[in-house]
């Protein structure tokens, strides 16, 4: 998947916005202000495409055991975040989309009832 495909997919999710809160390089996708995906645009430009996604800790361990291109989150909580190294060619678009969905769902699951209601309006 190309970064534009990932961007379009993330932005298609309800309540999602994009931002550069850290620097002009790190593209961050948030649902109601909570991060669920990050990507360094410099890495993509260098041909080292990668994206950080949130994941359930047990599921993270399974993913890392099954896929050499999924590793503990780069500059993130290693327990709750994974980095998907897309440039290695192992990860199929279907799996990437499923993992984006999982990350989004994990963030929504942790929201207050008020925030979830706001998302469903």
């Amino acid at each position: 998947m190309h970064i534009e495909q990932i961007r379009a997919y993330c932005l298609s999710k309800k309540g999602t916005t994009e931002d550069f809160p850290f620097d002009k390089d790190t593209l961050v996708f948030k649902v109601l202000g909570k991060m669920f995906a990050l990507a360094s645009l410099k890495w993509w430009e260098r041909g080292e495409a990668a994206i950080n996604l949130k994941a359930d800790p047990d599921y993270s361990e399974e993913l890392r055991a099954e896929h050499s291109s999924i590793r503990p989150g780069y500059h993130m909580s290693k327990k709750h975040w994974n980095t998907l190294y897309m440039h290695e060619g192992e990860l199929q678009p279907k799996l990437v989309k499923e993992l984006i969905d999982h990350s989004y769902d994990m963030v929504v699951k942790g929201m207050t009832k008020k925030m979830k209601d706001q998302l469903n309006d």
Side-chain angles (χ1 to χ4, degrees):
M1 288 181 79
H2 188 271
I3 189 66
E4 283 300 322
Q5 293 169 304
I6 288 174
R7 179 179 178 265
Y9 189 73
C10 287
L11 289 174
S12 74
K13 305 196 86 39
K14 197 168 189 173
T16 297
T17 57
E18 64 183 332
D19 195 6
F20 290 88
F22 306 116
D23 53 39
K24 293 180 181 181
D25 169 58
T26 307
L27 177 60
V28 177
F29 296 96
K30 299 177 180 180
V31 54
L32 297 183
K34 305 282 186 185
M35 293 189 304
F36 71 91
L38 299 89
S40 167
L41 298 182
K42 282 183 190 173
W43 283 24
W44 283 80
E45 290 169 4
R46 288 192 317 232
E48 299 173 7
I51 184 170
N52 284 3
L53 298 171
K54 193 165 192 168
D56 172 80
D58 293 332
Y59 188 41
S60 285
E61 292 299 323
E62 287 177 37
L63 289 167
R64 294 171 193 170
E66 292 174 16
H67 304 279
S68 62
S69 297
I70 299 178
R71 299 182 202 123
Y74 181 78
H75 282 303
M76 304 294 285
S77 164
K78 309 296 186 218
K79 182 177 179 180
H80 297 283
W81 289 84
N82 286 323
T83 300
L84 283 60
Y85 292 90
M86 313 282 289
H87 66 280
E88 295 180 5
E90 174 193 13
L91 305 174
Q92 298 300 313
K94 181 177 186 259
L95 176 62
V96 173
K97 287 180 179 180
E98 288 171 4
L99 295 177
I100 290 170
D101 292 344
H102 177 71
S103 182
Y104 177 91
D105 292 344
M106 288 290 299
V107 172
V108 170
K109 180 179 161 184
M111 291 180 172
T112 64
K113 181 181 181 328
K114 183 178 179 180
M115 290 177 81
K116 289 177 187 175
D117 289 346
Q118 181 183 347
L119 192 59
N120 291 322
D121 283 343

